[in-house]
Amino acid sequence: MPVAEALREAVIATARAAAAEILRVYDTGFGVEHKADNSPLTAADLAAHRCIVDRLEALTPDIPVLSEESADTIPTSVRRTWTRLWVVDPLDGTREFVKRNGEFTVNIALVEEGEVVFGVIQAPVTGALWHGARGQGAFRREGGDDIALRTREPAAAPLRVAASRSHRNERTEALLERIAAATGAAGEPVALGSSLKFCRLAEGGMDVYPRFGPTSEWDTAAGQAIVEAAGGVVLDPRGRPLRYNQRDTLLNGDFIALGDPALPWRDWVAGS
């Protein structure tokens, strides 16, 4: 079902309101707590969470909200009954927020029957916003105008590979070496935080985003919607698109996002 314009604009307004809440904290001194998994938590995460949940519940009272900051309070048995839900990361890239490098985002996605169908990503510091919906295209909003996005297809060497700012590891380095061996040109790693990697991929500014190691569903859902709407794919090691709210765990496995679906990614990840 196409995403209605009124719903799209209301969700965009919600992402912008959450960004404003984040900036209110960002522009002041703030403390940092840590969750049980040692990931950081700030007042900005919580303020953005409250803003988004309140607005989405008022906007679509029939669609439950799965947010990073409240997921632990929702029994798995309840969550697994949801066939349509919002998947939200109120502040993706809290480590980048704490470092004050600006590379953090607000992520809001709509999931239906396990498939992500619509996503919005807002960068609070720059004000940049991306949105995409299945069958309706992907866009970057500049002022009041939407600029249509397409991934770079066909991709050409040297491939531009997105590397996580805070989670780059030896397996990613090995993949870069295999890409270089396969293409005859060293891949160009570009370090970038949060879901901005998906946005750059959708814009054609990057070609490959590999992620080896755990992420949560709210880290990827909005970005996947935008990349897919722009012509790319986000796949697990077996070549299947990432799916949502289908398992007891909310952790994703390894994945690779491609701007050009024809890239021989299986050769690169073999042995990873």
Side-chain angles (χ1 to χ4, degrees), residues 158-164 168 172 175-176 179 187-191 205-210 268:
L159 298 180
R160 293 160 296 182
V161 183
S164 175
R168 188 164 168 175
T172 304
L175 181 137
L176 287 169
I179 289 176
E188 297 180 351
V190 182
M206 291 185 182
D207 300 299
V208 184
Y209 168 29
W268 306 336

Side-chain angles (χ1 to χ4, degrees), residues 64 96 115:
E96 315 309 326
E115 298 180 359

Side-chain angles (χ1 to χ4, degrees), residues 133-194:
R134 186 169 60 189
Q136 295 175 265
F139 303 88
R140 176 172 175 149
R141 182 156 296 187
E142 301 281 0
D145 298 324
D146 279 340
I147 299 171
L149 305 179
R150 291 296 297 178
T151 57
R152 187 168 75 145
E153 186 181 354
L159 298 180
R160 293 160 296 182
V161 183
S164 175
R165 178 80 71 186
S166 298
H167 301 280
R168 188 164 168 175
N169 56 26
E170 292 179 1
R171 295 174 67 196
T172 304
E173 299 295 340
L175 181 137
L176 287 169
E177 293 176 3
R178 285 192 288 273
I179 289 176
T183 64
E188 297 180 351
V190 182
L192 196 62
S194 71

Side-chain angles (χ1 to χ4, degrees), residues 9-268:
E9 294 305 314
V11 176
I12 287 173
T14 296
R16 286 180 163 161
E21 293 292 331
I22 290 169
L23 289 178
R24 272 192 272 275
V25 178
Y26 193 63
D27 292 337
T28 65
F30 56 85
V32 181
E33 301 177 13
H34 287 84
K35 304 178 190 178
D37 63 359
N38 206 38
S39 59
L41 177 69
T42 71
D45 296 82
L46 299 176
H49 163 76
R50 288 190 294 268
C51 173
I52 294 169
V53 171
D54 288 349
R55 283 173 170 253
L56 290 181
E57 288 181 343
L59 177 66
T60 54
D62 58 324
I63 303 178
V65 181
L66 178 66
S67 168
E68 176 179 11
E69 304 310 335
S70 59
D72 289 346
T73 68
I74 303 168
T76 301
S77 58
V78 172
R79 170 176 61 78
R80 290 290 301 277
T81 67
W82 298 345
T83 58
R84 197 171 190 225
L85 67 151
W86 295 106
V87 178
V88 172
D89 193 338
L91 201 173
D92 181 30
T94 303
R95 287 181 174 85
E96 315 309 326
F97 178 87
V98 172
K99 295 174 186 175
R100 294 184 178 273
N101 67 13
E103 294 179 1
F104 50 87
T105 58
V106 175
N107 301 345
I108 304 175
L110 180 62
V111 168
E112 297 179 350
E113 301 290 350
E115 298 180 359
V116 63
V117 297
F118 168 57
V120 173
I121 294 176
Q122 169 80 53
V125 170
T126 65
L129 183 140
W130 299 262
H131 63 95
R134 186 169 60 189
Q136 295 175 265
F139 303 88
R140 176 172 175 149
R141 182 156 296 187
E142 301 281 0
D145 298 324
D146 279 340
I147 299 171
L149 305 179
R150 291 296 297 178
T151 57
R152 187 168 75 145
E153 186 181 354
L159 298 180
R160 293 160 296 182
V161 183
S164 175
R165 178 80 71 186
S166 298
H167 301 280
R168 188 164 168 175
N169 56 26
E170 292 179 1
R171 295 174 67 196
T172 304
E173 299 295 340
L175 181 137
L176 287 169
E177 293 176 3
R178 285 192 288 273
I179 289 176
T183 64
E188 297 180 351
V190 182
L192 196 62
S194 71
S195 60
L196 292 171
K197 295 180 286 293
F198 289 111
C199 300
R200 188 74 62 84
L201 193 70
E203 292 178 334
M206 291 185 182
D207 300 299
V208 184
Y209 168 29
R211 182 60 186 265
F212 302 126
T215 56
S216 296
E217 294 189 0
W218 43 77
D219 295 317
T220 59
Q224 181 174 351
I226 293 167
V227 166
E228 290 180 345
V233 291
V234 182
L235 306 173
D236 71 14
R238 295 174 60 183
R240 303 169 301 185
L242 295 188
R243 289 175 61 81
Y244 296 87
N245 196 37
Q246 300 297 294
R247 300 164 298 149
D248 290 345
T249 180
L250 289 167
L251 293 176
N252 299 313
D254 296 345
F255 68 84
I256 188 166
L258 307 167
D260 180 356
L263 284 169
W265 63 273
R266 294 179 190 273
D267 297 337
W268 306 336

